[in-house]
Each structure stands twice: as C-alpha cells, then as structure tokens.
Amino acid sequence: MTHRFDPLRCARGKCKVLFQTPQPGDRFALIVDPAVNDETAQWADCLASVTQCVDTAGRFDDPGVLRRCVSKSQCPSACRQRFATIAAKADDAKAVWQLFEQQFVHRGGICVPGG
C-alpha cells in the first residue's frame, strides 16, 4: 500500500528527525515519516539498495557487480528485468553505468518517478 507524506502525522509525533543543525542561529532539521511509501520513497529505496550493494562489493569497474546489484535490489521487478536485458549487451563498466543512469537516475528514465 502506498502512503504519502502527511504533515499532521509529524505534528502527532509519528516522524523521526534524521539530522538537525546545532544551535545557535537558524535551525534546519531533516524529518522523515517511516510510513511514507510513495513512488519517490520507493525510488529512493531502489537507488539506496543498489548503492549499498556496489559500495559493499567495492568494485565500480566490474560491470557484473552493477548487474548483480540491480538484480537483487529493492527496485521494481519490471525495472530490474529491463535493466538485465539491456545491460547484458554492454561489455564494459562505463557502458553499464551509463545504462543504469539513463534508466534509474536521469530525468525521463523509465524507472524515475514521473519518468
């Protein structure tokens, strides 16, 4: 089920402060509602899962690492399958990363909210 951000939930104490600037002066806080599960939150989870996997592997120059990380990511099944199909044709890491960015990161990408 998709849950969109509702500032009233934060007013009722349902949100978490992830970061807050120290005093004095203007204050800034990054507040997150863990119940939010809209398409932007799902996209962020997708990208975070791929990033964490690649960071753990520590191999940015191996095209197989990115392929494997996307295949076991939290990205939607259709996005993972499409990436596997197009990335299978790329033979070097730079090309695989470019395909990933086109599909998952750049405006207009098929797996970017609002694509």
Side-chain angles (χ1 to χ4, degrees):
M1 176 178 233
T2 300
H3 295 281
R4 299 209 177 274
F5 181 74
D6 178 2
L8 294 177
R9 282 184 48 82
C10 292
R12 293 189 303 262
K14 302 289 184 179
C15 296
K16 296 178 182 179
V17 177
L18 292 183
F19 173 79
Q20 191 167 7
T21 56
Q23 293 182 350
D26 292 337
R27 296 189 76 189
F28 168 80
L30 178 59
I31 300 171
V32 176
D33 181 349
V36 172
N37 191 23
D38 61 9
E39 69 177 6
T40 301
Q42 293 169 13
W43 178 58
D45 289 343
C46 164
L47 294 180
S49 67
V50 173
T51 301
Q52 183 178 21
C53 176
V54 172
D55 282 346
T56 299
R59 295 289 313 266
F60 302 96
D61 59 345
D62 179 352
V65 169
L66 183 57
R67 288 186 192 110
R68 283 189 300 278
C69 287
V70 170
S71 74
K72 61 183 182 177
S73 70
Q74 292 182 26
C75 301
S77 177
C79 292
R80 291 191 320 263
Q81 290 170 1
R82 183 170 193 279
F83 182 76
T85 300
I86 63 171
K89 300 170 187 167
D91 59 353
D92 65 56
K94 184 176 180 179
V96 174
W97 277 103
Q98 286 175 337
L99 292 169
F100 175 81
E101 290 175 5
Q102 288 170 357
Q103 181 174 329
F104 290 96
V105 180
H106 293 163
R107 176 179 276 176
I110 195 163
C111 296
V112 176

